[in-house]
Amino acid sequence: MNGQARISVLIADGDAQFLTQLEGWLSTEPTLDVVGSVADGDAAVSLARRAKPDVVLMDMAIPGRSGVDATEMITTLLPSTGVIMIAQDGAPDSLRKAMIAGARQFILRQTTKPELLRIIREIHQSTVARRVLGSPGPESAPGGPSTLLAEGGP
């Protein structure tokens, strides 16, 4: 680990196959700790309350409480938790809804493992920086969803 702090990650996705893939990707990373995975929005909020993860990967179309509603609840209850919204497409309306709900990043399902790991680390670093500075700081609006379609993608 070379002195790096472990990043706790909660995965919330309604697609069982994709959820399993994300668990596999993240569980092999020595700097990440998957604190749980759930398949519906209500369970995501409940587990986030208990586990207080550093980062949540949230399916926008998750069953039960929507990904947008669950994100809003999590970011209200746990302002230092960074939520990364996962969507099937990069529709501007979806991006807008995710950001209004408090998501710090918006990615597509086609995002590659290296890109996902980079984004998780960036979100965690920005959260730690805000805590150290003692203020929420300005949220940077992404230029658009991350969609690298390269080797290693789903």
Side-chain angles (χ1 to χ4, degrees):
M1 248 180 1
N2 297 335
Q4 288 183 325
R6 290 178 65 85
I7 302 169
S8 59
V9 181
L10 167 66
I11 306 168
D13 201 289
D15 179 330
Q17 184 177 358
F18 191 68
L19 184 66
T20 301
Q21 178 181 345
L22 289 175
E23 288 173 326
W25 281 4
L26 302 183
S27 65
T28 61
E29 289 299 312
T31 60
L32 301 181
D33 181 21
V34 177
V35 295
S37 59
V38 295
D40 72 75
D42 290 313
V45 173
S46 178
L47 184 54
R49 276 188 186 140
R50 289 192 315 273
K52 296 178 177 47
D54 297 313
V55 175
V56 174
L57 298 176
M58 177 68 68
D59 176 7
M60 187 159 203
I62 199 165
R65 181 180 309 275
S66 76
V68 170
D69 289 345
T71 294
E72 188 170 19
M73 288 189 74
I74 290 168
T75 59
T76 299
L77 293 167
L78 305 165
S80 64
T81 295
V83 177
I84 300 169
M85 188 70 75
I86 304 169
Q88 191 67 36
D89 63 54
D93 189 52
S94 297
L95 175 61
R96 182 184 60 77
K97 287 177 182 176
M99 295 299 122
I100 289 171
R104 296 207 183 128
Q105 183 61 277
F106 185 92
I107 64 172
L108 299 182
R109 290 190 178 279
Q110 297 84 0
T111 299
T112 64
K113 179 181 177 181
E115 181 72 358
L116 177 60
L117 295 174
R118 181 189 62 75
I119 290 168
I120 289 170
R121 290 181 179 112
E122 284 179 0
I123 295 300
H124 181 254
Q125 287 171 351
S126 71
T127 299
V128 169
R130 277 193 282 272
R131 270 190 242 141
V132 169
L133 296 174
S135 72
E139 291 294 328
S140 59
S146 298
T147 58
L148 289 181
L149 297 174
E151 287 183 42

